[in-house]
Amino acid sequence: MKPNIPSTEVLKKNGIIKIFETGDVIVNEDAPVQSIPFVIRGSLKVMQSDDDYREMVMYYLQPGETCVMSFLAALYNDTSKVKAIAEEETEVVFVPINKIRELMGNDPEWLNYVFRIYHKRFEELLGVVNAIAFKKMDERLLQFLRKKAEVSGSNQINITHSQLGQELGTAREVVSRLLKQLESEEIVQLGRNRITLL
């Protein structure tokens, strides 16, 4: 179920539009959150890090979506628990939390939207927990590559083995070994900083 973003015109009227390039950080961990980001075009990856600064991708945000973690942090005057990074050129509209409260009070569809987003994110996080707890790394890697391909709309994924290891929370050597195995099984084709799902 893909949540339908509230009217783009309403968002733009009440917020500030910004364009981010690939790799730009949109929201940082431990930063105060005063505006809610809504993706209009492009995609973001939402990550969390541990005390050793190892990072893992939790979920992706696509057009029509917002980060429920930012939403909750802003509503309760908390800091961000995640980092959001542009996966490609991405257009985001930032709506101040006071405007969000006003919009939610005036239109019940906003509350429905928040619950739909929360439901989707919760299911995705359960998937991450399930993958870490019950799936072998090769299954996690393949599932992750398929998700990246779905988000980008292309079977060709431009990424290094080091980046993959970082996003999966494992070592580059593990990723390289598993990718070679997947290539021998003709599931992927490897190139320089490029993986193609076959």
Side-chain angles (χ1 to χ4, degrees):
M1 172 182 65
K2 181 156 183 169
N4 293 320
I5 196 166
S7 164
T8 303
E9 289 72 31
V10 171
L11 291 175
K12 289 180 176 179
K13 179 182 170 187
N14 288 281
I16 297 166
I17 299 169
K18 291 187 181 179
I19 308 285
F20 295 93
E21 299 301 322
T22 305
D24 285 352
V25 175
I26 285 82
V27 177
N28 231 325
E29 285 180 293
D30 299 320
V33 180
Q34 284 146 12
S35 304
I36 311 300
F38 292 87
V39 179
I40 304 299
R41 174 178 55 84
S43 61
L44 306 176
K45 63 183 173 188
V46 177
M47 309 180 76
Q48 192 172 41
S49 62
D50 65 10
D51 292 338
D52 297 322
Y53 302 103
R54 290 177 302 183
E55 295 179 317
M56 178 184 280
V57 173
M58 308 302 289
Y59 48 82
Y60 290 92
L61 300 179
Q62 294 178 276
E65 297 182 344
T66 187
C67 179
V68 72
M69 301 297 285
S70 295
F71 220 109
L72 294 172
L75 279 175
Y76 296 106
N77 298 315
D78 200 356
T79 57
S80 176
K81 304 296 182 256
V82 295
K83 176 163 70 173
I85 300 171
E87 276 280 277
E88 56 191 309
E89 184 180 88
T90 303
E91 182 179 359
V92 178
V93 59
F94 290 88
V95 182
I97 190 58
N98 61 318
K99 287 287 183 185
I100 293 288
R101 285 193 178 102
E102 187 181 309
L103 291 165
M104 286 172 70
N106 294 338
D107 185 353
E109 187 52 36
W110 270 87
L111 199 53
N112 289 334
Y113 171 76
V114 172
F115 280 118
R116 287 196 302 271
I117 285 287
Y118 192 86
H119 179 258
K120 184 173 188 213
R121 292 289 91 85
F122 185 72
E123 284 188 330
E124 287 174 334
L125 289 174
L126 281 180
V128 170
V129 170
N130 178 61
I132 293 169
F134 304 115
K135 289 189 178 176
K136 291 194 253 176
M137 184 53 76
D138 58 343
E139 292 177 88
R140 285 180 57 204
L141 174 60
L142 188 54
Q143 179 181 322
F144 187 76
L145 290 172
R146 287 178 174 150
K147 184 64 179 179
K148 279 189 91 67
E150 178 192 322
V151 168
S152 68
S154 170
N155 279 353
Q156 185 174 297
I157 302 157
N158 297 312
I159 192 167
T160 67
H161 295 191
S162 292
Q163 287 171 312
L164 261 178
Q166 181 185 27
E167 295 187 12
L168 282 166
T170 190
R172 178 193 58 78
E173 294 79 7
V174 172
V175 168
S176 296
R177 179 175 51 80
L178 292 174
L179 285 172
K180 285 285 187 194
Q181 180 185 316
L182 290 173
E183 186 176 46
S184 71
E185 295 169 9
E186 299 184 348
I187 296 171
V188 302
Q189 182 178 31
L190 302 179
R192 184 169 175 77
N193 299 336
R194 187 179 69 247
I195 301 162
T196 306
L197 280 167
L198 302 177

